[in-house]
């Protein structure tokens, strides 16, 4: 899908966004379509106004309730690897958060199904994404460990928080040929980013790199 221009107010200078893209390219992100999408996505709209001056830094930032907006490099890395499936008709995201990763996915996938366990984040992300005209997204307030069985199987799954091990329910919702990008680990200081691939009845797991995510938590927070 082609990148769609999305404008916003605040820290939106082309120079600032270009610097971010140049850094991502230097860090190994090669998909030019994805880099263009990142350049056009108004990250400052997904964070508190007081942090908007840092919106285009390549760093994670707090979004409240113990959660963060992911580092742009990690968003790009996980999305780029997911795009290698070839098919991006249905993508499941576990952990909507502020909606930034959701926004990127919605520009490369036909439909994104996103699950969030914290009601305030679920509502705010939906408001933000609808407000900037992204309508190919389905939202669910629920426990992410369960995935979204109603719409399975998915061509791709991205998990934006780290469980101690790979949830079998999520693996079972992968389509044949599908990919899942998931951070795995029981500590908050470092986890393994893992690529999970389904090839018929066979499941392959590949270590990608060390990452740092908030933990994936059971249940919902109203």
């Amino acid at each position: 899908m082609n990148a769609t221009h999305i404008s916003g107010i605040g820290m939106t200078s082309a120079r600032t966004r270009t610097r971010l893209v140049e850094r991502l390219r230097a860090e190994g992100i090669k998909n030019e379509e994805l880099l263009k999408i990142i350049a056009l996505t108004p990250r400052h709209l997904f964070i508190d106004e007081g942090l908007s001056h840092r919106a285009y830094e390549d760093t994670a930032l707090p979004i409240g309730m113990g959660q963060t907006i992911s580092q742009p490099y990690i968003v790009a890395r996980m999305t780029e690897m997911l795009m290698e499936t070839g098919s991006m008709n249905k993508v499941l995201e576990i952990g909507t958060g502020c909606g930034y990763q959701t926004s990127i996915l919605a520009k490369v996938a036909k439909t994104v199904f996103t699950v969030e366990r914290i009601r305030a984040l679920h509502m705010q992300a939906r408001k933000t994404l609808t407000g900037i005209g992204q309508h190919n997204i389905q939202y669910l307030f629920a426990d992410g460990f369960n995935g979204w069985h109603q719409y399975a199987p998915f061509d791709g799954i991205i998990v934006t928080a780290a469980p101690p091990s790979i949830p079998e329910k999520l693996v079972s919702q992968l389509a044949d040929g599908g990919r899942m990008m998931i951070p795995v680990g029981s500590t908050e200081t470092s986890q393994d980013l893992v690529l999970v691939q389904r090839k018929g009845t066979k499941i392959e797991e590949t270590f990608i790199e060390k990452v740092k995510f908030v933990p994936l938590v059971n249940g919902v927070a109203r």
Side-chain angles (χ1 to χ4, degrees), residues 126-161:
R126 187 169 189 160
K127 179 180 178 180
T128 302
L129 291 161
T130 301
I132 60 176
Q134 292 191 263
H135 301 295
N136 61 326
I137 305 167
Q138 298 290 322
Y139 304 87
L140 180 65
F141 169 60
D143 185 337
F145 273 96
N146 295 323
W148 200 340
H149 183 74
Q150 178 184 354
Y151 292 103
F154 298 98
D155 302 305
I157 300 175
I158 275 185
V159 184
T160 64

Side-chain angles (χ1 to χ4, degrees), residues 6 27 29 31 55 71 83 110 126 150 153 155 185 187 211:
I6 295 178
E27 291 178 334
I29 305 303
N31 188 303
Q71 176 188 2
M83 291 170 71
K110 183 176 180 180
R126 187 169 189 160
Q150 178 184 354
D155 302 305
T187 70
V211 290

Side-chain angles (χ1 to χ4, degrees), residues 66-92:
Q67 305 300 300
T68 60
I69 181 174
S70 293
Q71 176 188 2
Y73 165 74
I74 293 298
V75 170
R77 179 76 160 134
M78 294 175 75
T79 305
E80 184 176 56
M81 295 204 71
L82 210 66
M83 291 170 71
E84 292 179 7
T85 58
S87 176
M88 293 284 282
N89 287 324
K90 293 194 299 181
V91 172
L92 174 66

